[in-house]
Amino acid sequence: MKKLIVLGPGCPRCENLLRITGQAAEELGIEYHLEKLTDITKFAAYGLMMTPGLVVDGELKVQGKVPTIDDIKSMLV
């Protein structure tokens, strides 16, 4: 099971990243747990410097942008 975490304070870009990450995982048909972390004091633990961020299985994959759904899919396989 993939553990996916979207890091962000709740801005529209963060919400969009959350939505398309879930959509990508669903389209791939993988088992996943998706959560949103809004506590900015915990962002540094992942090395995040700019929101939004995407963490896949404990590794920061994206920061400061919203990638395409195809880019997210490639991060999940």
Side-chain angles (χ1 to χ4, degrees):
M1 177 182 295
K2 293 277 184 192
K3 183 172 181 184
L4 312 172
I5 306 170
V6 172
L7 307 172
C11 65
R13 291 181 346 144
C14 302
E15 294 300 324
N16 188 32
L17 180 57
L18 181 69
R19 182 184 57 77
I20 64 173
T21 298
Q23 182 181 342
E26 287 292 326
E27 288 181 11
L28 288 171
I30 61 173
E31 285 190 47
Y32 69 98
H33 172 75
L34 176 60
E35 67 181 84
K36 183 173 181 209
L37 183 64
T38 58
D39 184 349
I40 61 173
T41 63
K42 296 183 179 177
F43 292 174
Y46 294 99
L48 185 73
M49 302 297 279
M50 294 178 66
T51 63
L54 175 61
V55 176
V56 177
D57 292 333
E59 182 180 342
L60 183 64
K61 297 285 191 173
V62 174
Q63 67 174 318
K65 65 179 183 174
V66 178
T68 66
I69 193 165
D70 289 330
D71 289 340
I72 293 173
K73 285 179 180 179
S74 68
M75 295 173 205
L76 301 181
V77 293

